């Protein structure tokens, strides 16, 4: 089962059903995840198993945010620009150039 690191506060949003999209750049195990699989999102102190209902790919974060609802990525976000800024803070332009992957997730359970 694929395991990916994330921030602890995002796991709370996932468990509460407020975060239903997980955004990553296409590197490592991310490119091998398929719809129908379960993956584990983990922080230093928690693990949450989720079902991947769909996998969508985009060339850039801008293209992704033109389609995906930003509030499903970050429930406290104020705008697409806010989410874009956070993603660019995490991922360099070189990493973004590998491609952007969005997992539509559901059925969160503590793992």
């Amino acid at each position: 089962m694929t395991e990916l690191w994330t921030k602890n506060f995002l796991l709370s949003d996932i468990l509460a059903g407020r975060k239903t999209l997980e955004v990553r750049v296409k590197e490592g195990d991310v490119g091998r995840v398929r719809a129908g699989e379960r993956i584990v999102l983990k922080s230093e102190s928690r693990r949450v198993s989720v079902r991947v209902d769909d996998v969508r790919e985009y060339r850039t974060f801008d293209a992704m945010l033109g389609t995906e609802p930003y509030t499903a990525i970050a429930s406290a976000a104020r705008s697409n620009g806010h989410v874009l800024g956070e993603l660019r803070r995490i991922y360099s332009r070189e990493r973004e150039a590998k491609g952007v992957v969005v997992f539509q997730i559901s059925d969160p359970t503590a793992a």
Side-chain angles (χ1 to χ4, degrees):
M1 184 178 300
T2 300
E3 295 189 1
L4 302 171
W5 288 96
T6 193
K7 305 273 188 210
N8 197 50
F9 76 92
L10 294 175
L11 293 178
S12 295
D13 281 353
I14 290 167
L15 284 166
R18 291 185 297 268
K19 178 174 171 52
T20 58
L21 298 178
E22 180 66 18
V23 178
R24 300 291 172 132
V25 295
K26 191 173 183 178
E27 57 188 13
D29 290 338
V30 169
R32 291 188 277 281
V33 174
R34 300 289 175 251
E37 290 183 35
R38 289 193 78 82
I39 62 173
V40 172
L41 300 171
K42 62 184 180 178
S43 69
E44 293 291 330
S45 61
R46 298 167 76 183
R47 298 165 51 90
V48 174
S49 171
V50 297
R51 183 178 57 239
V52 177
D53 296 322
D54 194 19
V55 178
R56 297 184 285 277
E57 295 188 28
Y58 299 91
R59 286 191 23 222
T60 65
F61 293 132
D62 287 308
M64 180 268 302
L65 286 166
T67 302
E68 305 290 353
Y70 69 88
T71 54
I73 299 166
S75 64
R78 298 176 303 275
S79 66
N80 274 356
H82 182 240
V83 172
L84 180 61
E86 288 300 309
L87 290 168
R88 292 252 164 86
R89 188 177 58 76
I90 297 166
Y91 297 111
S92 67
R93 296 259 184 182
E94 292 78 20
R95 290 178 73 196
E96 179 183 1
K98 296 175 184 180
V100 175
V101 178
V102 175
F103 300 133
Q104 184 170 337
I105 57 174
S106 67
D107 192 28
T109 56

